[in-house]
Amino acid sequence: MNTLRFAALACALLPLGSALAASGTVQAPPRSKADLDAQFARLLATWPGVYDNNEQIVRQSGGGLSPATSAPYFRLRSSVARVSRPDVGEQVL
């Protein structure tokens, strides 16, 4: 579950960081190719898995600490796996 939260947070913050960098407000520190390769390897190692929002559904329906709501979320299940597709690229999820 922590991996899913990390991935969701990273995806949510990416546009903000890009907008700030484009406006000149924030400059990203220079990164070496080795550093970027290490980060990419970590992403490929941690992202694959099965993700489900069942806990959110249970809590929203009144089964958790939150009161029930009238506009429920729909259950989503995602499966992320590495695949071998040389025609698409070397690293494919």
Side-chain angles (χ1 to χ4, degrees):
M1 190 62 149
N2 288 337
T3 303
L4 177 60
R5 289 183 183 149
F6 173 76
L9 179 62
C11 289
L13 293 178
L14 186 61
L16 176 62
S18 297
L20 289 174
S23 70
T25 306
V26 175
Q27 289 188 347
R31 298 194 176 166
S32 68
K33 181 173 179 350
D35 184 35
L36 293 175
D37 288 343
Q39 289 179 13
F40 188 63
R42 184 174 178 196
L43 176 67
L44 289 175
T46 58
W47 198 352
V50 176
Y51 303 99
D52 191 319
N53 70 337
N54 186 52
E55 183 179 340
Q56 179 182 17
I57 304 291
V58 170
R59 289 182 181 270
Q60 186 185 27
S61 66
L65 300 175
S66 301
T69 64
S70 60
Y73 288 98
F74 295 101
R75 186 169 184 183
L76 299 174
R77 184 175 189 270
S78 300
S79 180
V80 179
R82 289 187 73 173
V83 294
S84 177
R85 289 293 310 263
D87 55 321
V88 176
E90 292 181 25
Q91 309 292 340
V92 182
L93 290 177

